[in-house]
Amino acid sequence: MAAPRKISSSLSTTSSLSTISGLFKITQTFLSEISDGLSSYGRPMAMMHVSPLYVFPTFVKGVPDGSETGTFLALDLGGTNLRVCEVTLLGDKTFSLRQQKYKVSETLKTGEVTTLFDYLADSVDAFLTDTPSQGPDSHVSHADGDSPYVPLALTFSFPVEQSALDSGVLLTWTKGFSAKNAIGKDVVKLLQDAFDRKHIHVKCVALVNDTVGALLSRAYTSGGCILGAIFGTGTNGAYVEQVSKITKLSQNSTVAAGGEMIVNTEWGGFNNSRSALPTTPYDNKLDRESINPRFQAFEKFISGMYLGEIARNVILSLIDAAPKPLLFGGRSSALLNKQWGLDTAVLSEIEEAWEGLGRFSPPAQGSPEAQKGEKLRRIQGVLAHRLELSPPDISLADADIVRQVCNLIASRAARMSGTAVAAILVHTERARLWDHGEQSSAGLKDEGKRIGVGVDGSLVEFYPNFQTKLRASLRALVGPEVESRVDIGMAKDGSGVGAALCALVAQRQNQANHTNGAYGHDPEDIKVTLTTEVAYISSLSQWEA
C-alpha cells in the first residue's frame, strides 16, 4: 500500500528512535546540557534568550516523609484550567482535598496580565465564599475587614526566576499562554496586587513550580522521591541534586553548608537547536506556526498540547498528497483544517478503540482479520464523530493509516520522555548508560534500592501504553536491573499537595504570623523533616543571545 510507505518515508527521522543509538544521542546531549547548566551562568539548555541561567537560593527546607500535618489553601495555574483547592495533610502519608476548577479562556491567556490575575483572584474569592472548609481547625470564609488574611500557596507552572519562597519573576510563557506585560514581573506581586485591588483578605505566602510539587507530593505519599516529572499539557522535571555539583554556586553563602537541593530543570526547553531531536517537516511546521517559535523544543515533541497538532499536520499532508490523495479520498473537514483542530485526546481515543480500553470493550472472539476489522470500524466512528468527517469518506484503510500515525507520534513522545528520566538517573549516579553487556550496579548510588520517581500529567496517567513505552525506553538506556528498581508512581495531585507543603514551610519560616488566621497552626505542631535543602535552578535551558 502506498500510504504506509509515504508515512514511513515522511517520518523516517522519527523511526531513528526505534534504535538505541537515537535514544543514546538524546540522552547524552541531555547529560551535556545538564552539566553546562550546573557549572556556568549563561550556558543553559534551550537556545532561548530571556535571561541568563540563574541559581536561586534555598527557599523550601525539607523533603517530606509523610508525617507532616496541616490544612492549606493552594491556587494552581498551569494549563487549560485554573484550580483552587484546600489540602489537609493527615500525617500518615495521606491527605484530603477539596477543590474547584475554573476555565481559563484563550482571551485570558493572551490578553493583559492584570486581567488574567484579576480572574485568578476572583476565582479564589468565589471558592472561599461558596465552598465551606472541610479541614480540621481551619475556617475558610470570606474574611471581613477585621479578620486576618488567609495564607495561600501558588503553583505556577511556567519558568520563573525565584528569589524567595514568596517571590518569582516570570521568564517566559509556555503552554499557549502569552499574556501581555507579564515577562519580567513578579508573579506573586501580580497576584497579591489583584487580591488587594479587590479587598480580598488572602496573602500569597509561597510560590512553587508544579514539577517541584510533584516531587514533594510523591515524597510525602511514598516516603521518598528523587525526581518529579510532568508529562501532560507541557513537560518538565525537577530532581534532588548534590550542592557540590552545582559549581556555579561556589560563592553563594546560602549553600555553604552543602547538602542537597531540588533543581528545577525546565527541560521543556531542552535542545532548542534540535541538534539531537528527531525533527520532521511536521515538527518544523508546528514550531513555525506556534506562538513561541524556536522555544520549548523538547516540549513540542512530547507534550499533550502538541501531539494532536503534529498528527493533524501529517494527516493533512496525506490528504493533500499528489498526484493522488492517500487519505479520505482527498477530503478534509473544517475542524481538521483549523490549527489545533485535532486534540491529543482524540489520539488517545483512537488508541483506546484499537486496544479495547476505556469505553471500548475488547473485540469479540474471531479470526485476527475479523478482530482487526472490528477495531478499525471503531476508529472510523471516532474519526467521523471527533473530526466531523463524512463517514462514507473514511475507509477501513484510512482508519488504519490514521491509527499508525497516532501510534508513531505517541510512541516517539513516550520514548523521548524516557531519555529525560534516564539522563537524570545517570547524572545523579544511580545508573550508567547500558552497553547491553553484563550489567552491574556496583558503585551506584542507592545500589539495590528503590528509586522513587513521581509523575503527573494527562499523558502519563491516561494515554494508553505511554508509561509502558517510556519504561521500555528507560530499560534500553540504563538496563533492566536499574529500570526494575525505578518506582514510577503518580504524584497524587502534585500541584495541590506540593503547594500545601510549601505553604507549611512558609508558616514555619514566619512564626510570628502563624498564631492567628483561618489556616493558622502552632509552629510546634508542624513537623518538617529537614533532610534536604531545596532550591531552584531555572532553567537548564540554553538562552540564545
Side-chain angles (χ1 to χ4, degrees):
M1 183 185 293
R5 287 197 297 272
K6 171 76 172 178
I7 296 169
S8 178
S9 174
S10 300
L11 297 178
S12 59
T13 309
T14 299
S15 66
S16 68
L17 291 183
S18 63
T19 66
I20 190 64
S21 60
L23 296 172
F24 260 78
K25 181 180 179 182
I26 296 174
T27 308
Q28 288 166 333
T29 305
F30 229 117
L31 288 166
S32 176
E33 295 196 7
I34 289 173
S35 179
D36 285 348
L38 293 173
S39 63
S40 305
Y41 288 96
R43 295 183 61 194
M45 271 186 170
M47 299 197 342
M48 310 183 280
H49 181 67
V50 177
S51 170
L53 183 67
Y54 290 97
V55 175
F56 302 130
T58 299
F59 307 116
V60 183
K61 296 187 172 83
V63 169
D65 64 3
S67 64
E68 297 79 7
T69 60
T71 303
F72 305 93
L73 193 66
L75 171 63
D76 175 18
L77 177 67
T80 305
N81 293 314
L82 157 72
R83 191 167 57 112
V84 184
C85 53
E86 178 192 75
V87 181
T88 300
L89 305 172
L90 301 176
D92 58 355
K93 298 184 179 180
T94 66
F95 62 89
S96 64
L97 177 71
R98 185 174 63 89
Q99 65 177 339
Q100 182 65 48
K101 292 183 179 180
Y102 303 88
K103 182 76 173 178
V104 181
S105 68
E106 291 302 314
T107 300
L108 288 169
K109 290 180 182 180
T110 59
E112 279 293 328
V113 70
T114 52
T115 305
L116 173 63
F117 278 81
D118 280 347
Y119 179 71
L120 305 190
D122 286 338
S123 300
V124 172
D125 188 36
F127 180 85
L128 293 175
T129 302
D130 299 338
T131 55
S133 172
Q134 302 297 316
D137 303 322
S138 65
H139 308 282
V140 179
S141 64
H142 191 60
D144 60 36
D146 297 325
S147 299
Y149 66 79
V150 176
L152 172 144
L154 170 63
T155 299
F156 191 75
S157 307
F158 304 92
V160 296
E161 173 199 342
Q162 194 154 355
S163 56
L165 184 58
D166 59 354
S167 179
V169 171
L170 178 65
L171 298 177
T172 183
W173 285 116
T174 58
K175 305 176 188 176
F177 280 72
S178 60
K180 302 174 183 66
N181 299 312
I183 305 302
K185 300 288 182 63
D186 186 334
V187 296
V188 174
K189 187 176 187 304
L190 287 170
L191 180 59
Q192 193 61 54
D193 286 349
F195 286 139
D196 294 345
R197 275 194 303 274
K198 295 174 175 291
H199 305 289
I200 300 170
H201 292 262
V202 173
K203 182 176 181 181
C204 185
V205 298
L207 173 66
V208 63
N209 178 276
D210 61 342
T211 313
V212 176
L215 192 159
L216 295 174
S217 171
R218 183 61 180 168
Y220 180 81
T221 57
S222 69
C225 184
I226 64 100
L227 169 65
I230 305 296
F231 300 109
T233 303
T235 186
N236 191 15
Y239 71 100
V240 180
E241 178 64 281
Q242 295 291 325
V243 171
S244 59
K245 285 189 174 182
I246 312 174
T247 55
K248 63 170 63 178
L249 280 180
S250 59
Q251 304 302 314
N252 192 312
S253 60
T254 307
V255 296
E260 296 178 322
M261 292 186 178
I262 290 181
V263 173
N264 171 24
T265 70
E266 293 295 341
W267 73 31
F270 160 64
N271 199 224
N272 273 354
S273 67
R274 303 190 177 216
S275 61
L277 302 181
T279 308
T280 70
Y282 312 111
D283 300 301
N284 287 336
K285 182 176 185 292
L286 180 149
D287 181 59
R288 185 179 67 254
E289 295 175 347
S290 70
I291 64 172
N292 56 348
R294 301 185 181 277
F295 281 55
Q296 297 298 104
F298 193 61
E299 184 167 87
K300 288 173 179 172
F301 283 78
I302 72 171
S303 72
M305 179 172 179
Y306 299 104
L307 300 187
E309 181 66 4
I310 297 170
R312 190 185 74 90
N313 288 339
V314 176
I315 290 169
L316 287 177
S317 75
L318 297 174
I319 291 173
D320 294 338
K324 182 179 179 181
L326 299 175
L327 202 57
F328 307 141
R331 296 176 180 86
S332 186
S333 68
L335 189 61
L336 197 52
N337 289 339
K338 181 183 178 182
Q339 187 183 23
W340 313 114
L342 176 52
D343 193 277
T344 300
V346 179
L347 277 64
S348 181
E349 191 173 351
I350 288 169
E351 295 272 12
E352 288 175 349
W354 179 256
E355 297 287 345
L357 301 172
R359 66 183 178 89
F360 300 98
S361 58
Q365 294 295 322
S367 67
E369 293 79 10
Q371 289 187 336
K372 180 178 180 180
E374 182 180 346
K375 293 177 180 180
L376 293 177
R377 282 188 287 275
R378 293 173 176 176
I379 295 173
Q380 280 181 313
V382 172
L383 294 175
H385 175 64
R386 297 298 297 272
L387 296 184
E388 301 175 1
L389 291 162
S390 175
D393 292 334
I394 311 169
S395 68
L396 289 181
D398 291 337
D400 198 23
I401 290 169
V402 173
R403 179 192 67 82
Q404 291 181 57
V405 169
C406 295
N407 180 262
L408 277 169
I409 291 166
S411 295
R412 180 181 72 164
R415 288 194 291 266
M416 291 176 69
S417 298
T419 68
V421 177
I424 297 301
L425 296 183
V426 173
H427 175 75
T428 58
E429 300 177 6
R430 290 176 170 84
R432 302 183 186 95
L433 285 177
W434 185 39
D435 61 5
H436 289 250
E438 184 177 346
Q439 189 177 20
S440 171
S441 61
L444 294 175
K445 188 181 295 186
D446 296 334
E447 178 182 350
K449 297 180 181 178
R450 165 190 173 274
I451 302 171
V453 175
V455 295
D456 198 3
S458 54
L459 281 179
V460 72
E461 184 172 8
F462 298 118
Y463 201 102
N465 301 315
F466 188 90
Q467 188 173 149
T468 300
K469 292 174 181 178
L470 184 157
R471 275 196 170 275
S473 172
L474 181 62
R475 185 164 54 251
L477 289 163
V478 302
E481 193 281 328
V482 172
E483 183 272 331
S484 68
R485 293 190 287 110
V486 177
D487 177 16
I488 299 177
M490 293 302 300
K492 298 178 181 178
D493 193 18
S495 56
V497 177
L501 288 161
C502 285
L504 180 150
V505 173
Q507 283 196 334
R508 183 180 177 89
Q509 292 179 350
N510 296 277
Q511 294 184 10
N513 298 324
H514 300 157
T515 55
N516 294 305
Y519 282 72
H521 298 274
D522 187 328
E524 297 303 317
D525 294 333
I526 299 174
K527 178 182 177 183
V528 183
T529 305
L530 302 179
T531 57
T532 303
E533 299 292 318
V534 182
Y536 303 88
I537 297 179
S538 176
S539 57
L540 293 178
S541 25
Q542 188 171 350
W543 311 104
E544 181 182 48

